[in-house]
Amino acid sequence: MAEDPRVALVVDECGPVSGRVRQVVARGTAELLPCDVPRGRRKLSRYPGEGESRWDRRFLDHLYADPERSGTVRLHVVPASLHARDLGCQVG
C-alpha cells in the first residue's frame, strides 16, 4: 500500500435459496490507520447489534487487541467510484 494505494473493494451478498444477489464495488485509494476502538464499537453496534456481551469473541479480541503486539490496523478507503448492482435471479 505504501507503493501503490489504489484499491478495489467488493462486497457481495448472496442468497442461494432466495436468489438475492447484490454487489457493491468501490474503487479508489486507501491508507492504513491505527485501530480506532470507539469507531470500531460504533460499527459493530450497527451489525451484530448493541451489547458487546452478544458479540462473537473474535470481534472483541480484534477490537481490543494491543495494536503494537497484534499489528491491528484499519483500512480507510476514499472511493473515486462506487457502484451498487442487483444481480438477483428467480430460483426454481
Side-chain angles (χ1 to χ4, degrees):
M1 296 228 13
E3 293 178 26
D4 187 356
R6 295 175 297 170
V7 297
L9 175 68
V10 179
V11 178
D12 291 323
E13 175 190 25
C14 299
V17 174
S18 67
R20 174 181 270 179
V21 180
R22 298 188 291 189
Q23 180 184 72
V24 175
V25 179
R27 295 180 194 281
T29 58
E31 63 181 322
L32 294 174
L33 299 174
C35 186
D36 181 337
V37 172
R39 182 185 197 101
R41 290 185 80 242
R42 284 192 307 273
K43 292 215 179 266
L44 286 168
S45 292
R46 288 178 59 192
Y47 299 101
E50 292 289 333
E52 290 184 23
S53 63
R54 296 178 28 215
W55 297 352
D56 187 294
R57 184 77 227 162
R58 293 172 295 177
F59 294 142
L60 294 170
D61 291 345
H62 183 74
L63 182 63
Y64 293 112
D66 176 2
E68 293 295 321
R69 293 183 52 195
S70 68
T72 300
V73 293
R74 70 183 172 96
L75 181 69
H76 177 74
V77 177
V78 178
S81 68
L82 186 63
H83 300 279
R85 296 182 182 107
D86 182 345
L87 304 170
C89 62
Q90 289 187 346
V91 176

